[in-house]
Amino acid sequence: MKKWNRVLLVMLMVFLLTGCGKATAEVTTIAIQKDGTIEHTMVEDFGEGSADALQSMMQEKTDLYNSSHLSGENGIVVTAVESGDGVVKVVMTFPDAEAFDGFMNMDVVAVDPALRAPFFYGTVEDAFEQGFDLEIKLQSAEGEEVLQGKDDILAMGKNKIIIYDNEMNLGAPVQISTQNGLLYISDNVTVAGKNAVEVSETDDLAYILLNG
């Protein structure tokens, strides 16, 4: 798929990338905290001396988004930009999933809203109301049990669910962690540890149904 070729991450790569764009020692992570805030850590192979330019670019885009959508202490924060051995790590904190989705899709939506690669974190009921497709099969994260179709999934309507399009990260592996236990996952998701999964495909949305 080519629809994500103008995403924020691509813009950063065009500006800075000299390697292949694959992390050498770590992968990009999305960590959902107990209060719903999100810590996003992007890890990429960038050229030496690029950290200052990257931090300046990210801060400029963050200020632009905050001024248009958020305010005060509830804004997005560039927490850290670190570099070493050709690898740059950018850590950002978002007040909630909506801000994360909005910021990461800011550039592509300006071109064509159909290019959006969504990130959703909320209840199953809210996901259904927002139009996400629930006619899917989810496999137990620990056993053989299966949820098949919308009715099975809506029966757990108060549970939290993560829905993620890995076009956002160009299909490179992403680890998603949460404070809630894992119940069911789609077949393009693998368990990566306690309350953590890894997504590395772009063809379909990834679904992670949580215990709580």
Side-chain angles (χ1 to χ4, degrees), residues 59-212:
Q59 190 61 58
E60 180 179 349
K61 297 189 73 65
T62 298
D63 291 344
L64 176 63
Y65 187 87
N66 284 341
S67 66
S68 300
H69 300 85
L70 302 169
S71 62
E73 297 180 356
N74 293 322
I76 299 167
V77 178
V78 180
T79 307
V81 178
E82 304 169 352
S83 64
D85 298 326
V87 176
V88 172
K89 179 189 295 185
V90 181
V91 183
M92 301 181 68
T93 302
F94 298 81
D96 52 36
E98 183 179 359
F100 177 64
D101 176 275
F103 180 83
M104 295 301 292
N105 283 289
M106 178 170 58
D107 293 301
V108 294
V109 168
V111 176
D112 182 353
L115 300 177
R116 175 174 168 262
F119 179 91
F120 174 87
Y121 171 69
T123 67
V124 170
E125 291 176 349
D126 287 342
F128 181 66
E129 290 177 0
Q130 291 189 27
F132 285 100
D133 182 15
L134 299 183
E135 285 294 352
I136 55 173
K137 182 176 77 172
L138 299 181
Q139 176 75 40
S140 170
E142 296 183 349
E144 299 298 322
E145 187 178 354
V146 170
L147 296 182
Q148 183 69 56
K150 180 178 65 178
D151 291 342
D152 279 358
I153 296 171
L154 283 176
M156 307 185 72
K158 301 299 183 184
N159 286 64
K160 293 290 182 64
I161 191 170
I162 300 166
I163 303 174
Y164 172 63
D165 187 342
N166 201 30
E167 290 274 359
M168 185 180 284
N169 199 50
L170 306 178
V174 174
Q175 288 192 1
I176 302 175
S177 64
T178 174
Q179 301 300 308
N180 299 100
L182 308 174
L183 288 181
Y184 296 90
I185 56 178
S186 52
D187 60 9
N188 55 349
V189 175
T190 57
V191 176
K194 182 180 180 180
N195 301 345
V197 299
E198 182 165 302
V199 182
S200 58
E201 297 181 10
T202 61
D203 290 341
D204 299 295
L205 292 176
Y207 292 79
I208 305 102
L209 183 60
L210 304 174
N211 183 20

